[in-house]
Amino acid sequence: MPEGDRLGALPRRRLLATITGLATPVVLGQLAQVMMGLVDTIMVGRLGEASLASVAVATLMFSALAMSIKATDVAAQTFTARRVGEGRDGEVGAVMATSVTVTLVAGALVMLVGLFLPDTMMRLVSRDAEVIGLGSGYIVYRYAGVLPLLFYFQVKGVFDGIGWTRIGMGIGIGMNLANVLLNWMLIFGKLGAPEMGVRGAALASTLSAVLAATAALGFILWPPVRRRFRFLCRTNFQPRLVVPFLKIAWPPALQTLGVVLGVLVFNWILGRISVLAVAAATVVLRIASLSFMPGFGVGAAVQTLVGQSLGRRDPRGARRAAWYGVGISTVFMGAFGLVFLAVPDTLLRVFSDSDALVAAGVPILRLMGLVQLIDAVGITLSGALRGAGLTLSVMLVDLGTGFGLLPPLSYLFGITLGGGLMGAWLALLVWFTLYAVGMVVLFQRSKWEEVTL
């Protein structure tokens, strides 16, 4: 968004172009990130159902801690956007220093857990000895690279808050391309690399994260950027910023942890149904994650625009950005929904040759198609509320509907009432729907325009 522009006064077409211009690089960057998981699933899927199930569970165990800490990038983006909107560019370096310091200290602690307790982590979810053995190896190699991954995400959050979303896109695409090559080499032992199977997929992701962190550091050190935002000042780390930063950061971190734990319990329930149910659900969620990208991308763009608009004292512009963002998200996510309804079997066969897996996955992928419009509303408005600093309320709604309702409802529908995979999946859709309703209520009734940072 050009400096000084007030969204409340922009013509409709220019506002749409502004949102789309910020969101498109975010979508492409997040798509690259999701593609890392898709590539892992496609390649590991060729090793068998046990390998696929082990990666599914191990990835969740990685996300439970690592991605919870990563979620502090919400605060980095929100604080940066507000300061840029207020014309305080010289304070962005202090935001980054605070964000990186807090995140890496916490990341070092969870890295130790992953390196020394991988078997314990896997046994929390799985009872299958083969799945536990394979997944433990995956966890060790993934947690070895958690610090560079967290560093990259914090830098990306700051640049997204500035409005420079193309930087995260470029690094994300490069990270994905590196991951594809390294996966092929390390999983199957190509080009002289050792054949490591599941562990190779994790090592490939770790090495890709190191490359991404190196690229992010290069942008920070670029002289015009470094000087404008004072990225390397010795006084950047200011203890007085830690508490305000944590006030915005801890809710999305706890929200991510709660959601991941809810999904972990969901996978445990699926495991009580069958290994096939876990494998089919893994593939469907990987496919569905592509449809979430427009919503997450537009939500991230709206988060930046809301933060900058409030910094310019333009609440009308913040509201316009949010609702126009909802419109853009519903169009693109709705298109994905139509594809899921029309050709689910074709999509599933990209990931697995198993007729049983495809048969199990088709009906639940079609159900995902039915909730795309609802999910678009929830994802986009949550971005707007986070941009205003209302992260605590967003967390409470998500934990109540996800962590609070998903496990008991999936057990009730899937096991107690005998609905199997389809029954458990209905609980997932209840979560998405109630979350969207909660975001609409918060956006309409809370005083988010008055939050100060």
Side-chain angles (χ1 to χ4, degrees):
M1 182 171 62
E3 193 169 320
D5 278 354
R6 296 173 68 87
L7 297 182
L10 285 185
R12 179 181 301 177
R13 288 186 179 180
R14 191 173 173 196
L15 178 56
L16 287 171
T18 298
I19 297 172
T20 305
L22 279 177
T24 300
V26 177
V27 171
L28 294 176
Q30 290 182 330
L31 179 62
Q33 180 187 341
V34 170
M35 286 300 296
M36 289 181 68
L38 289 173
V39 168
D40 284 356
T41 302
I42 291 172
M43 292 188 176
V44 171
R46 300 297 183 251
L47 302 177
E49 289 182 4
S51 294
L52 186 60
S54 71
V55 170
V57 175
T59 299
L60 284 172
M61 297 310 300
F62 176 76
S63 299
L65 296 178
M67 292 299 98
S68 298
I69 296 173
K70 173 265 174 193
T72 56
D73 65 353
V74 170
Q77 183 177 345
T78 297
F79 270 90
T80 299
R82 186 69 67 94
R83 276 153 178 71
V84 170
E86 293 169 344
R88 298 157 62 188
D89 290 2
E91 297 181 24
V92 172
V95 172
M96 178 177 286
T98 302
S99 172
V100 168
T101 301
V102 170
T103 302
L104 293 188
V105 169
L109 297 177
V110 304
M111 181 180 68
L112 295 176
V113 175
L115 292 178
F116 292 104
L117 299 173
D119 287 346
T120 302
M121 296 175 73
M122 287 297 297
R123 291 182 192 279
L124 291 174
V125 180
S126 178
R127 297 180 297 175
D128 186 285
E130 185 178 7
V131 169
I132 291 171
L134 292 170
S136 296
Y138 185 94
I139 286 175
V140 168
Y141 279 94
R142 278 296 265 142
Y143 270 98
V146 70
L147 295 184
L149 185 66
L150 293 174
F151 175 78
Y152 157 67
F153 277 120
Q154 298 308 307
V155 175
K156 178 182 179 299
V158 169
F159 282 133
D160 284 353
I162 294 170
W164 295 351
T165 54
R166 293 185 181 182
I167 292 177
M169 175 194 71
I171 297 176
I173 291 174
M175 181 166 57
N176 181 58
L177 292 176
N179 185 65
V180 171
L181 176 61
L182 291 169
N183 260 331
W184 179 69
M185 293 171 57
L186 294 169
I187 293 175
F188 304 112
K190 304 295 184 179
L191 299 181
E195 184 177 347
M196 299 175 66
V198 167
R199 292 178 301 154
L203 180 57
S205 296
T206 288
L207 294 175
S208 300
V210 172
L211 294 175
T214 303
L217 181 61
F219 280 104
I220 293 173
L221 296 177
W222 191 32
V225 175
R226 184 188 70 221
R227 287 193 291 266
R228 176 179 172 183
F229 299 105
R230 301 185 65 190
F231 280 138
L232 294 186
C233 290
R234 287 178 293 179
T235 58
N236 268 351
F237 181 73
Q238 301 173 14
R240 65 180 179 83
L241 291 179
V242 173
V243 172
F245 179 84
L246 289 175
K247 183 178 178 181
I248 301 297
W250 77 262
L254 184 59
Q255 177 182 348
T256 301
L257 177 60
V259 168
V260 171
L261 290 176
V263 175
L264 277 170
V265 177
F266 179 67
N267 273 268
W268 176 81
I269 293 169
L270 294 180
R272 295 284 300 270
I273 297 170
S274 69
V275 173
L276 176 62
V278 177
T282 299
V283 173
V284 169
L285 285 175
R286 290 292 193 189
I287 295 171
S289 64
L290 293 173
S291 70
F292 301 152
M293 290 305 99
F296 287 133
V298 174
V302 167
Q303 180 182 341
T304 292
L305 293 174
V306 166
Q308 292 186 359
S309 292
L310 294 180
R312 294 188 176 102
R313 299 182 179 180
D314 180 22
R316 179 174 181 269
R319 281 191 173 274
R320 290 187 75 206
W323 285 120
Y324 276 71
V326 168
I328 295 171
S329 293
T330 54
V331 168
F332 285 100
M333 291 185 68
F336 273 102
L338 291 176
V339 174
F340 294 166
L341 290 169
V343 290
D345 51 342
T346 302
L347 296 173
L348 287 161
R349 289 196 182 278
V350 173
F351 295 88
S352 177
D353 297 326
S354 170
D355 291 335
L357 188 147
V358 171
V362 164
I364 61 175
L365 184 54
R366 282 187 169 140
L367 283 178
M368 291 299 294
L370 293 175
V371 298
Q372 291 302 305
L373 297 183
I374 296 172
D375 207 24
V377 175
I379 292 173
T380 308
L381 289 184
S382 68
L385 292 166
R386 285 173 164 177
L390 212 68
T391 56
L392 178 58
S393 297
V394 173
M395 177 205 73
L396 292 174
V397 173
D398 205 9
L399 290 187
T401 56
F403 183 73
L405 291 180
L406 177 62
L409 288 182
S410 58
Y411 192 91
L412 174 65
F413 297 156
I415 295 180
T416 304
L417 299 180
L421 176 58
M422 176 65 79
W425 209 260
L426 289 175
L428 198 72
L429 305 190
V430 171
W431 168 28
F432 292 163
T433 301
L434 292 180
Y435 179 67
V437 171
M439 292 303 100
V440 172
V441 172
L442 276 177
F443 191 79
Q444 291 293 86
R445 298 188 178 182
S446 64
K447 297 180 180 180
W448 53 267
E449 301 100 325
E450 301 175 7
V451 177
T452 58
L453 298 177

